[in-house]
């Protein structure tokens, strides 16, 4: 994970490099007691600045609701991108469909055989590969050739469970989890890259056209019937099994959220004719930036990123960044508080040397002497640590993870309260399901708990009895294939 992220950042000297020379001469003159006090004071300040008491969570939720409304009306506030998904799968869908999912870390290809109402999902099969780091800054052709090749490989695998009716083209749901401006369900212009991607020649282009050209180069005769992002696909996949799903959230490398909106509540789509009267809106909440608790470490990380000033909510709550924020805090503690002894472990200077999965692994260490924390710090960063230093490291992890999880919860409440304000009872008056997917949510129990606690604190225990937050595992893969089916050119045959 760290390898990929390193490639996404500019070379040194980032601002936090300054930390080292500032303190090296002073360090040896100080007593141990002074160093310990320095570390405690950094920790205390960090906790204060990252705190998310109820009033802060409420301000974040309210500011995000307001930004959602602004974004639905015009070109300010959150992007609130119309997905053009107006019909969700019914269960009648039949046939063979493919899904491609380009996330921030993995690329997945999936095929699914749908059997209609009684049989539903008859068979699935998928391949997953880590996205090679060099592809993240390759050319548009190279990236899409990689995608088309993955599709070609899966399609060529012989397996009797998957059958395309004679004369029909394979249809694809393409999950492309970057901001895309859509004007129809099967096309969309890439607005910008996020999550460390910097592929040349793609921004401003229709990503479906890019994929079509690559498929042609591979000799594949297939059609993209639905272009969606992972949040939209997750919503579709979860709704297929449970009609009460109203919101879907992704918490993985990056983050996003979407929900089902009434067409007449989307002023910027005025005049759009819709048979269902509804459309899934992709909030692009990663771009949110108001009232967020922030520290000098967040600012240093942002300044060194390939998209400074952008995606601030994403940089505060999602998997790509939590480990890096912790690294910057530990580096400061090592430099000014001698957290790891008289010298600063050289490896702590390497951006992304600590990944969010490392924080998670350390927080699961229940041993009395924190042996697991010690060996992970050594394996990952060649850091020798005392018991007291390990405890401090865990407190830093917990502070950053608590802030991330709690703010994710505030974001969920922002969406729910906006929907409830528009139509009283639609959310809190009945059972409502929020479907969540992504490696961060799936694998980090403390993050999940902080998120759920924050939702409950904000909406109160009575309303939260009606609210179900559920993990929709890999719902986005099936969801994209289902949306390909819902928008199939053969759907009159179902
Ligand atoms: P993508 O974002 O590519 O769609 P995922 O949803 O699987 O992929 O998310 C991968 C991200 O999830 C990783 O980059 C990492 O930040 C986070 N993650 C994966 N495993 C863990 C873990 N054990 N603990 C915490 N975070 C994890
Ligand atoms: Mg994903």
């Amino acid at each position: 994970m760290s390898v990929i992220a390193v490639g996404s950042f500019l070379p040194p000297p980032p601002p936090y490099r300054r930390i080292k020379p500032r303190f090296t001469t002073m360090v040896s003159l100080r007593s141990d007691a002074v160093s310990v006090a320095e570390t405690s004071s950094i920790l205390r300040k960090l906790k204060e600045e990252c705190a998310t008491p109820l009033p802060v969570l409420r301000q974040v939720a309210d500011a995000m609701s307001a930004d959602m409304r602004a974004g639905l009306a015009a070109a300010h506030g959150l992007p609130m991108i119309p997905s053009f998904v107006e019909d969700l799968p019914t269960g009648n869908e039949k046939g063979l469909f493919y899904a491609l999912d380009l996330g921030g870390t993995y690329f997945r290809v999936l095929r699914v055989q749908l059997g209609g109402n009684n049989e539903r999902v008859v068979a699935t099969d998928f391949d997953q590969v880590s996205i090679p780091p060099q592809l993240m800054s390759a050319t548009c052709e190279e990236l899409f050739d990689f995608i088309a090749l993955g599709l070609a490989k899966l399609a060529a695998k012989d397996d009797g469970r998957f059958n395309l009716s004679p004369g029909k083209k394979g249809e694809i749901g393409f999950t492309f989890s970057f901001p895309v401006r859509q004007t129809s369900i099967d096309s969309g212009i890439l607005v910008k890259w996020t999550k460390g991607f910097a592929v040349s020649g793609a921004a401003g282009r229709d990503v479906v056209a890019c994929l079509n050209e690559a498929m042609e180069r591979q000799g594949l005769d297939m059609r993209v019937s639905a272009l969606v992002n992972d949040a939209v696909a997750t919503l579709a996949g979860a709704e297929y099994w449970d009609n009460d799903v109203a919101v879907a959230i992704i918490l993985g490398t990056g983050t996003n959220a979407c929900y089902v909106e009434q067409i007449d509540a989307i002023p910027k789509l005025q005049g759009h004719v819709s048979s269902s009267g509804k459309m899934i809106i992709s909030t692009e909440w990663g771009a949110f930036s108001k009232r967020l608790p922030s520290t000098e470490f967040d600012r240093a990380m942002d300044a060194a990123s390939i998209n400074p000033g952008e995606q601030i909510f994403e940089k505060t709550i999602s998997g790509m960044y939590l480990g890096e924020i912790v690294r910057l805090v530990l580096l400061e503690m090592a430099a000014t508080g001698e957290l790891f002894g008289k010298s600063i472990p050289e490896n702590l200077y390497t951006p992304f040397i600590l990944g969010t999965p490392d924080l998670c692994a350390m927080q699961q260490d229940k041993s009395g002497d924190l042996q697991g924390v010690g060996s992970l710090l050594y394996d990952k960063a060649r850091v020798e640590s005392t018991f007291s230093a390990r405890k401090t490291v865990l407190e830093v992890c917990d502070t950053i993870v608590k802030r991330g999880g709690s703010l994710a919860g505030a974001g969920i409440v922002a969406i729910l309260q906006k929907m409830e304000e528009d139509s009283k009872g639609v959310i809190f008056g009945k059972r409502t399901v929020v479907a969540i997917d992504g490696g961060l949510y799936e694998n980090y129990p403390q993050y999940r708990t902080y998120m759920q606690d924050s939702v409950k604190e904000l909406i109160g225990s009575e309303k939260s009895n009606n609210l179900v937050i559920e993990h929709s595992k890999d719902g986005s893969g099936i969801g994209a294939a289902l949306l390909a089916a819902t928008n199939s050119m053969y759907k009159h045959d179902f």
Side-chain angles (χ1 to χ4, degrees):
M1 239 63 79
S2 56
V3 181
I4 289 160
V6 168
S8 69
F9 273 61
L10 294 171
Y16 44 85
R17 279 264 165 190
R18 278 188 242 119
I19 292 168
K20 189 179 184 182
R22 222 172 40 172
F23 298 103
T24 39
T25 50
M26 291 159 60
V27 158
S28 56
L29 302 175
R30 262 189 299 196
S31 72
D32 286 355
V34 172
S35 308
V36 169
E38 292 268 13
T39 292
S40 316
S41 115
I42 296 168
L43 185 59
R44 195 173 332 109
K45 184 159 175 258
L46 182 77
K47 283 184 177 173
E48 271 165 29
E49 290 178 348
C50 289
T52 48
L54 186 56
V56 169
L57 294 175
R58 172 100 49 221
Q59 281 178 355
V60 169
D62 290 349
M64 194 185 285
S65 293
D67 266 11
M68 289 175 65
R69 275 185 203 289
L72 289 171
H76 60 273
L78 283 180
M80 303 300 280
I81 298 180
S83 68
F84 291 86
V85 173
E86 298 175 58
D87 295 299
L88 286 166
T90 59
N92 292 332
E93 296 77 8
K94 270 194 207 132
L96 171 62
F97 297 92
Y98 291 85
L100 300 175
D101 180 355
L102 188 74
T105 304
Y106 301 107
F107 168 62
R108 302 181 181 94
V109 197
L110 176 124
R111 57 181 169 175
V112 48
Q113 191 79 37
L114 299 174
N117 235 331
N118 295 325
E119 297 178 68
R120 296 261 171 157
V121 176
V122 179
T124 57
D125 183 14
F126 81 103
D127 278 341
Q128 168 172 310
V129 288
S130 288
I131 303 167
Q134 68 275 14
L135 268 191
M136 296 181 183
S137 48
T139 64
C140 180
E141 284 73 25
E142 285 165 335
L143 177 67
F144 282 90
D145 278 344
F146 167 79
I147 295 172
L149 185 64
L151 174 63
K153 273 192 199 152
L154 187 73
K157 258 208 299 189
D158 222 358
D159 186 325
R161 297 175 303 157
F162 300 95
N163 304 297
L164 193 61
S165 306
K168 286 187 179 173
K169 267 190 186 200
E171 289 183 290
I172 304 163
F174 184 18
T175 304
F176 184 80
S177 303
F178 301 91
V180 161
R181 192 174 313 113
Q182 289 194 248
T183 45
S184 70
I185 181 71
D186 57 2
S187 69
I189 307 292
L190 174 65
V191 178
K192 60 173 183 183
W193 290 108
T194 56
K195 297 181 281 193
F197 273 65
V199 171
S200 61
R205 286 206 62 196
D206 178 358
V207 293
V208 173
C210 295
L211 178 58
N212 281 335
E213 287 162 20
M215 289 197 295
E216 219 166 282
R217 289 193 288 274
Q218 288 295 334
L220 271 180
D221 185 21
M222 294 197 190
R223 168 181 179 264
V224 176
S225 325
L227 173 68
V228 288
N229 65 38
D230 46 3
V232 172
T234 297
L235 205 163
E239 224 267 352
Y240 185 65
W241 303 108
D242 186 339
N243 289 330
D244 291 338
V245 177
V247 176
I249 312 285
I250 298 295
L251 291 163
T253 311
T255 183
N256 192 16
C258 70
Y259 70 105
V260 182
E261 184 57 285
Q262 304 298 320
I263 293 278
D264 52 18
I266 316 173
K268 68 183 178 187
L269 276 191
Q270 213 178 23
H272 177 81
V273 182
S274 159
S275 56
S276 70
K278 294 176 185 174
M279 188 185 286
I280 300 181
I281 295 288
S282 177
T283 64
E284 305 297 318
W285 78 2
F288 179 72
S289 62
K290 295 184 183 149
R291 309 215 165 238
L292 297 173
S294 144
T295 68
E296 61 181 294
F297 308 104
D298 298 290
R299 291 184 285 276
M301 183 185 68
D302 178 47
S305 73
I306 57 163
N307 52 353
E310 292 179 7
Q311 300 293 107
I312 303 298
F313 191 56
E314 179 163 271
K315 286 172 180 161
T316 317
I317 74 164
S318 82
M320 175 165 168
Y321 304 99
L322 301 181
E324 176 65 358
I325 301 169
V326 168
R327 178 189 72 85
L328 290 172
V329 179
L330 297 185
L331 180 56
E332 172 79 356
M333 287 177 161
T336 72
E338 297 182 20
L339 179 64
F340 304 115
K342 298 277 179 222
S343 59
I344 305 167
E346 195 55 37
N347 283 24
L348 266 191
Y349 285 103
T350 310
F352 294 93
I353 195 89
L354 280 182
T356 303
D358 301 326
L359 312 191
C360 177
M362 290 193 282
Q363 284 208 274
Q364 310 320 311
D365 183 0
K366 300 288 177 265
S367 67
D369 57 355
L370 299 178
Q371 184 83 60
V373 175
S375 45
L376 191 140
L377 286 172
Y378 188 78
D379 291 347
K380 286 290 164 144
R382 290 286 171 265
V383 167
E384 303 269 11
S385 55
T386 61
F387 178 61
S388 148
R390 293 173 195 171
K391 278 203 297 195
T392 303
V393 170
L394 282 185
E395 283 201 71
V396 173
C397 294
D398 194 58
T399 305
I400 299 304
V401 167
K402 179 174 188 183
R403 181 184 65 167
S406 305
L407 291 173
I412 293 174
V413 173
I415 297 175
L416 297 177
Q417 74 186 19
K418 190 266 169 208
M419 295 172 87
E420 177 79 10
E421 277 164 20
D422 283 2
S423 179
K424 195 149 175 39
V426 73
I427 295 295
F428 297 129
K430 62 171 200 45
R431 179 175 179 270
T432 293
V433 179
V434 175
I436 311 193
D437 197 11
L440 174 60
Y441 181 80
E442 182 178 356
N443 297 303
Y444 210 144
Q446 284 86 351
Y447 187 97
R448 275 201 303 269
T449 304
Y450 285 131
M451 194 199 82
Q452 282 154 359
D453 289 351
S454 149
V455 170
K456 204 165 172 180
E457 203 181 350
L458 278 162
I459 66 173
S461 53
E462 196 180 319
K463 283 177 184 164
S464 57
N465 286 339
N466 272 342
L467 187 68
V468 181
I469 297 181
E470 69 181 21
H471 179 207
S472 169
K473 181 148 175 64
D474 297 330
S476 73
I478 299 258
L482 287 167
L483 287 170
T486 311
N487 296 286
S488 164
M489 59 181 167
Y490 311 114
K491 71 177 180 188
H492 48 267
D493 297 347
F494 295 160

